[in-house]
Amino acid sequence: MTETEEKVVQAREVVESASNIVVLTGAGISSESGVPTFRGQEGLWQNYRPEELATPEAFWKDPKLVWEWYDWRRNAVKDAKPNPGHYALAELENNVPNLTLVTQNIDGLHQMAGSSNVTEMHGNLWQIRCTKCGDIEQNFDVPLAELPPKCKKCGEMGRPNVVWFGEMIEMSLIDKVLKAIEECHVMLIIGTSGVVEPAASMGLVAKQTDKTVIEINPEETPSSGLYDIVIREKSGEILPLLFTSNRTLS
Ligand code: APR
C-alpha cells in the first residue's frame, strides 16, 4: 500500500467514526473545476496584486476597474461545474449528523453541488451589495449590463458582496465557526494555502482543542506540521475516497 493509500485509509476511519465534522475549504477545491486559485503554481495573483483590486481603497479609487476584474472573474467561473470534491462533501453532509462547511470561496460551487449548510466567509461572487442602502441582489448576468452596476432598489452604485483585504468579517460569523470547531471531533482543511486570516488560524484552534485535523493539499502549507493526517493529493481525487470504502485510489 502506498503512503497516500495508508493515509486515505486512516482518514476514512477518522471521518466515518465522527458524528460532528467541520470542513474548511479554499480555492484549491475549485481548481479542478477550472477556477484559478490565487496563490500556488497556477495562482491568479501571478498577474495581479491583491491590494490593487480586492480592497475598499482600490474600489473607491476606481470602481470601474475593480468591477472589470470581478466581471472577468464571473465570466471565468460562469461555466465552472462542481467537481467530485464538491459532490463528496455534499454527500458527506447527508451522512454525518452534524457537518459545518466553511468556505473562503465565493464561487458558489459547494451550493451547486448540493451542500446546504455553507458558511461563506468571504462572500459570494454572484451577489451585488448596494453601497448606500445595503440591499443584496443575486445577479448571474455575464457580462454585467453596466459597470459599476446600480442598486435595483435605490439606484446607487453596487459593489461585489465579498470581503476585501482590510475589511472585517462579521464577528457573529467567526464566533459561529469557532463554536463549530470547539464542538467537532474532526476538522478537514481542504485546498487552502493557510495564509489569510482568520481562516489561516482555524486549524490551530482545532489542534488547541484536541481535534483530529486532516489536510488535503498537493502543496505544503505553514500549518501542515500541526495536523494529524496530511494528504498531498488533489481534493477531487481524495474526498470521494474518504467516505465510501468500496473505491480504490485511481
Ligand atoms: N486540491 C487541493 N488543493 C489544491 C488543489 C487541488 N486540486 N489545487 C491547488 N490546491 C491548493 C494550493 O496548493 C494552495 O495551497 O489550494 C491552495 C489555494 O491557495 P490560495 O490560492 O491562496 O487560496 P485560498 O487559500 O483559498 O486563499 C484564501 O485569499 O485572496 C484571498 O479572499 C481570497 O479566499 C481567498 C483567500
Side-chain angles (χ1 to χ4, degrees):
M1 196 183 273
T2 66
E3 187 191 349
T4 294
E5 285 170 330
E6 276 172 14
K7 288 185 176 179
V8 167
V9 168
Q10 253 185 332
R12 186 189 303 139
E13 281 163 9
V14 167
V15 168
E16 287 184 336
S17 60
S19 57
N20 191 323
I21 299 178
V22 169
V23 182
L24 170 66
T25 63
I29 196 169
S30 295
S31 69
E32 289 160 86
S33 298
V35 179
T37 61
F38 298 95
R39 302 166 188 88
Q41 269 115 14
E42 80 299 355
L44 195 59
W45 294 131
Q46 313 300 359
N47 329 321
Y48 301 93
R49 287 176 338 121
E51 50 280 5
E52 278 169 9
L53 295 160
T55 67
E57 295 73 22
F59 179 73
W60 290 107
K61 188 170 127 220
D62 190 342
K64 192 164 184 306
L65 171 71
V66 171
W67 265 115
E68 280 166 0
W69 185 54
Y70 277 92
D71 206 32
W72 176 84
R73 288 181 68 187
R74 288 160 60 102
N75 183 57
V77 175
K78 76 176 183 331
D79 297 326
K81 296 282 177 282
N83 65 60
H86 295 107
Y87 287 116
L89 291 180
E91 183 187 340
L92 181 62
E93 184 184 76
N94 295 328
N95 291 284
V96 167
N98 199 329
L99 183 128
T100 302
L101 173 54
V102 185
T103 188
Q104 300 170 87
N105 300 341
I106 60 174
D107 55 33
L109 289 178
H110 283 303
Q111 296 90 323
M112 212 187 279
S115 290
S116 53
N117 175 12
V118 183
T119 300
E120 293 178 311
M121 286 181 68
H122 296 166
N124 189 298
L125 194 57
W126 304 108
Q127 292 174 350
I128 298 171
R129 186 170 88 228
C130 180
T131 56
K132 184 165 167 46
C133 72
D135 182 62
I136 293 176
E137 174 208 350
Q138 285 284 1
N139 178 307
F140 295 97
D141 297 347
V142 175
L144 282 160
E146 62 173 329
L147 297 179
K150 288 195 179 58
C151 172
K152 291 237 174 5
K153 261 196 172 162
C154 75
E156 289 295 324
M157 180 166 67
R159 58 161 281 177
N161 189 33
V162 298
V163 178
W164 279 324
F165 288 97
E167 291 186 318
M168 297 299 290
I169 296 175
E170 302 227 339
M171 271 319 290
S172 58
L173 184 150
I174 296 176
D175 288 343
K176 175 185 153 193
V177 174
L178 292 177
K179 187 168 177 296
I181 293 173
E182 265 166 48
E183 292 168 356
C184 80
H185 305 124
V186 181
M187 181 171 185
L188 300 177
I189 299 181
I190 302 163
T192 180
S193 57
V195 296
V196 175
E197 295 297 355
S201 301
M202 289 180 172
L204 177 63
V205 170
K207 283 316 299 166
Q208 286 172 338
T209 50
D210 293 328
K211 315 301 178 189
T212 303
V213 177
I214 300 167
E215 181 184 58
I216 301 172
N217 189 330
E219 292 176 21
E220 181 90 9
T221 66
S223 305
S224 293
L226 291 175
Y227 302 147
D228 303 278
I229 303 173
V230 172
I231 302 176
R232 287 268 167 272
E233 299 285 350
K234 294 182 174 182
S235 48
E237 291 171 13
I238 296 299
L239 285 171
L241 301 177
L242 288 197
F243 348 108
T244 40
S245 50
N246 58 352
R247 293 197 206 178
T248 52
L249 267 178
S250 55

